[in-house]
């Protein structure tokens, strides 16, 4: 079955440092979504990428979808303590409604 | 516009009892998805439903678990004869369309089996 892996599993940075999480799918995706889950909270949708090679920005967050549509990345510039949480990518393989979530990257930011 | 609602937020059951988890999707959303999250792990898809129909239940355990989304009322995830391994957070999500669309998650139900 489809597998979606993320690296790293965990990253601890100091406030102001950059952060990147990488997402790799075993199969080609029709689109990829990114979610953020705060400790004790629920996943919150961040963005969706559909096109091969697509790059989208949201303030300090930059999202990329690979040319082969099998990988993606999320980069946060100058992290803040409010960025703390677990970031999940989630892939969709076409008309299937099922999202396959990645393993997640837990981000810890300290002053 | 109320978001996805789930209740109860916390549920404690003894081994062998039944657990019923409810999910009311966002207004205007007719597609509901259930996910399970074990502590410190990612979300695992369980089932996708539309009103009165189960569309994809490929992630549901074959026994003890069932789901429904009746014409009226919330979607229900039912776990019979719970075991300790069922302890997890169960999230419901909804969307207005199943195709290439974001999912809105509810706050989850934390199930603890003692």
């Amino acid at each position: 079955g489809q597998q979606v892996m993320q690296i790293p599993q965990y990253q601890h940075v100091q406030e102001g440092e950059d952060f990147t999480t990488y997402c790799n799918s075993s199969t080609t995706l029709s689109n990829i979504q990114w979610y953020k889950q705060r400790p004790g909270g629920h996943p919150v949708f961040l963005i969706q990428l559909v096109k091969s090679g697509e790059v989208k920005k949201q303030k300090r967050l930059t999202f990329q979808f690979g040319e082969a549509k099998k990988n993606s990345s999320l980069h946060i510039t100058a992290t803040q303590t409010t960025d703390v949480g677990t970031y999940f990518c989630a892939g969709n393989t076409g008309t299937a409604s099922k999202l396959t979530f990645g393993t997640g990257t837990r981000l810890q930011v300290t002053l | 516009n109320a978001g996805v609602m789930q209740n109860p937020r916390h549920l404690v059951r003894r081994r062998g009892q039944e657990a019923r988890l409810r999910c009311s999707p966002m207004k205007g959303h007719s597609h509901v998805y259930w996910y399970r999250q074990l502590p410190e792990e990612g979300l695992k898809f369980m089932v996708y439903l539309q009103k009165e129909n189960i569309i994809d239940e490929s992630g549901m355990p074959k026994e003890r678990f069932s789901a429904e989304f009746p014409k009226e009322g919330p979607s229900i995830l039912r776990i019979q004869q719970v075991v300790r391994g069922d302890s997890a957070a169960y999230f419901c999500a909804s969307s207005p369309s199943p195709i290439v669309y974001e999912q809105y998650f509810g706050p989850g139900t934390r199930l603890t089996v003692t």
Side-chain angles (χ1 to χ4, degrees):
Chain A
Q2 181 188 19
Q3 289 188 325
V4 182
M5 303 297 291
Q6 282 182 254
I7 54 170
Q9 270 190 300
Y10 171 75
Q11 184 142 19
H12 184 179
V13 300
Q14 297 225 310
E15 191 176 47
E17 292 181 334
D18 292 356
F19 159 77
T20 304
T21 172
Y22 299 92
C23 173
N24 290 286
S25 170
S26 58
T27 58
T28 302
L29 302 169
S30 62
N31 67 81
I32 194 151
Q33 301 177 7
W34 284 90
Y35 291 79
K36 177 184 178 182
Q37 185 177 25
R38 292 183 188 275
H42 61 277
V44 174
F45 175 83
L46 294 176
I47 209 159
Q48 178 173 266
L49 304 168
V50 179
K51 298 176 185 173
S52 169
E54 189 170 14
V55 178
K56 286 189 176 179
K57 292 191 175 186
Q58 285 181 351
K59 297 182 180 177
R60 294 178 295 105
L61 278 61
T62 302
F63 304 84
Q64 290 189 319
F65 199 9
E67 293 291 340
K69 300 183 78 173
K70 293 182 74 173
N71 57 72
S72 181
S73 65
L74 158 59
H75 179 81
I76 303 178
T77 304
T79 55
Q80 300 174 359
T81 54
T82 53
D83 295 325
V84 165
T86 301
Y87 292 84
F88 291 100
C89 61
N92 185 288
T93 55
T95 57
S97 55
K98 180 171 73 176
L99 279 177
T100 300
F101 276 78
T103 46
T105 295
R106 187 157 67 96
L107 173 63
Q108 181 66 272
V109 181
T110 51
L111 294 170
Chain B
N1 188 11
V4 178
M5 299 177 70
Q6 289 188 250
N7 66 80
R9 296 289 302 276
H10 299 275
L11 182 61
V12 179
R13 284 287 177 265
R14 291 188 178 148
R15 279 180 298 171
Q17 290 185 319
E18 178 179 288
R20 282 193 177 219
L21 288 61
R22 294 175 194 79
C23 168
S24 295
M26 283 183 71
K27 188 176 181 181
H29 289 192
S30 59
H31 303 269
V32 166
Y33 315 82
W34 286 93
Y35 295 86
R36 176 164 64 177
Q37 186 175 37
L38 295 170
E40 305 298 322
E41 292 192 12
L43 292 98
K44 302 294 183 192
F45 169 83
M46 299 182 75
V47 62
Y48 158 48
L49 311 103
Q50 291 182 34
K51 285 283 187 184
E52 301 183 276
N53 287 305
I54 297 174
I55 307 302
D56 183 345
E57 57 181 346
S58 58
M60 286 274 272
K62 294 284 184 266
E63 298 177 350
R64 303 188 298 107
F65 286 72
S66 63
E68 63 176 7
F69 190 13
K71 189 177 180 181
E72 301 291 337
S75 174
I76 295 176
L77 179 67
R78 183 181 175 205
I79 311 173
Q80 295 178 293
Q81 299 174 324
V82 295
V83 300
R84 289 227 172 99
D86 297 331
S87 295
Y90 292 84
F91 290 97
C92 163
S94 73
S95 73
S97 164
I99 301 174
V100 196
Y101 221 87
E102 67 187 88
Q103 295 183 8
Y104 294 83
F105 281 80
T109 294
R110 270 77 177 170
L111 173 66
T112 302
V113 179
T114 60

